[in-house]
Amino acid sequence: MRKTRLGAISAILVGLCYFFTVILVLLAPPGENAVVDHITHMEKLMAVHYILGFLGVLGIMVVLTISRTLEKQTAGSEWYPYSKVMAIIGFALLAINNFRQTGLDHELSHEAIHASGAVLDAVVIGWVGLVEFSPQGWIDFGFVGIWILTVSVFSLKLHNRKLLSYLGYLGGSCFIVTVLGNVTGLSFLVMIGMGLGGLVVVPAWFIYYGVLLLKKPLLPTDLSTNTEI
C-alpha cells in the first residue's frame, strides 16, 4: 500500500490555510497605502505571512504526494511533469516570499513612518517591488492554478472523481483569473478569483483530496484503473 497520510494531512492543512488567509485579509481592509496598512493591521498581516509561508512548505508535500499517486496515469504525459515543477516553484516562492516578509514588513513600514517625508513617499511608491517576489501572482497563483487544472483533467478521466475534478477546474481557473485581474487592474476579477477561489473552491479541493487520501490510500492496482478510491 502506498503511504499517503502525511501528504493527505498536508492537503487538508493547505486548504485550511488558504481559507484562513482570505478571512484575515478581509479583516484587514486596505487603507491609505500599504505602509499605513502594515502599521494599522500589522498583527493580522503578519499572521497572513506566517500562514502562507507554512502553506507553501505544505503545498510542496501535497504536489509530491498527488503526483506520486498519479504516476502511472501521467507516465505518458509530456505536460504533467512540467506542471508539477511549476507548482513546486509556485509553492516554494510562496514560502520564501512570505517568510521573508515576516522579517521585512514590520521593520520597513515602521522605519518609513518614522523617517516620513521623501523616504516615506519612496517606500510607499516602491512597496510592492521592495517586498514582493511575484507582485502580480504569476508564479504563486498562476503556476499552482495551472497544476490544479492539470491534476483535475487526470482525476476526471482516469479516477472518475467528477466532483473533485469540477472543483479543481473551477479552483484552478479562479487562481488564473486572479492573475489576470492583477495584470489588467480589473479589481472585480481579483475579487472573483480570490473570493470564490481562495475562500471556497480551492480550500474545498485540497481538503476533499486530503480526506479521500486519508480514507483509502492508493493501492498499486488502483493506479491503472478508473475506479473511485
Side-chain angles (χ1 to χ4, degrees):
M1 178 177 291
R2 290 176 173 269
K3 295 181 179 180
T4 58
R5 183 170 297 275
L6 181 60
I9 293 173
S10 297
I12 294 172
L13 291 176
V14 165
L16 293 174
C17 284
Y18 272 124
F19 175 79
F20 286 117
T21 294
V22 177
I23 293 295
L24 286 172
V25 170
L26 291 175
L27 294 175
E32 182 180 347
N33 56 61
V35 175
V36 172
D37 292 346
H38 280 77
I39 298 295
T40 307
H41 306 294
M42 180 57 68
E43 293 81 6
K44 294 184 182 68
L45 294 179
M46 289 294 286
V48 167
H49 291 318
Y50 275 111
I51 292 172
L52 288 177
F54 285 109
L55 188 160
V57 174
L58 293 169
I60 295 173
M61 298 168 65
V62 175
V63 173
L64 295 176
T65 296
I66 292 178
S67 297
R68 185 163 56 88
T69 62
L70 293 173
E71 60 188 5
K72 284 196 175 181
Q73 290 94 336
T74 59
S77 171
E78 186 177 4
W79 169 249
Y80 185 79
Y82 297 144
S83 69
K84 169 186 171 182
V85 173
M86 290 168 67
I88 291 174
I89 292 173
F91 279 122
L93 183 70
L94 186 68
I96 293 170
N97 188 38
N98 281 278
F99 281 133
R100 173 177 177 268
Q101 286 183 256
T102 61
L104 178 64
D105 285 9
H106 181 275
E107 182 177 353
L108 183 61
S109 59
H110 280 80
E111 289 292 335
I113 290 290
H114 178 74
S116 68
V119 174
L120 175 59
D121 292 340
V123 173
V124 170
I125 293 172
W127 179 269
V128 173
L130 291 170
V131 303
E132 289 283 353
F133 285 148
S134 179
Q136 294 179 327
W138 280 105
I139 300 175
D140 43 357
F141 286 102
F143 282 12
V144 172
I146 290 171
W147 174 75
I148 292 175
L149 285 171
T150 304
V151 169
S152 299
V153 171
F154 286 99
S155 296
L156 180 64
K157 182 178 179 181
L158 299 176
H159 289 303
N160 199 29
R161 292 177 176 174
K162 292 185 177 181
L163 177 58
L164 181 65
S165 297
Y166 293 149
L167 283 174
Y169 287 143
L170 184 56
S173 298
C174 283
F175 270 13
I176 295 172
V177 166
T178 300
V179 176
L180 294 177
N182 289 331
V183 172
T184 60
L186 298 175
S187 59
F188 78 91
L189 291 179
V190 178
M191 293 175 63
I192 293 173
M194 291 309 298
L196 179 61
L199 183 62
V200 180
V201 183
V202 173
W205 186 81
F206 277 102
I207 292 171
Y208 187 13
Y209 220 124
V211 169
L212 286 178
L213 293 175
L214 276 178
K215 288 172 64 177
K216 188 175 180 183
L218 288 181
L219 297 169
T221 54
D222 292 326
L223 293 173
S224 58
T225 66
N226 297 336
T227 58
E228 196 80 30
I229 62 171

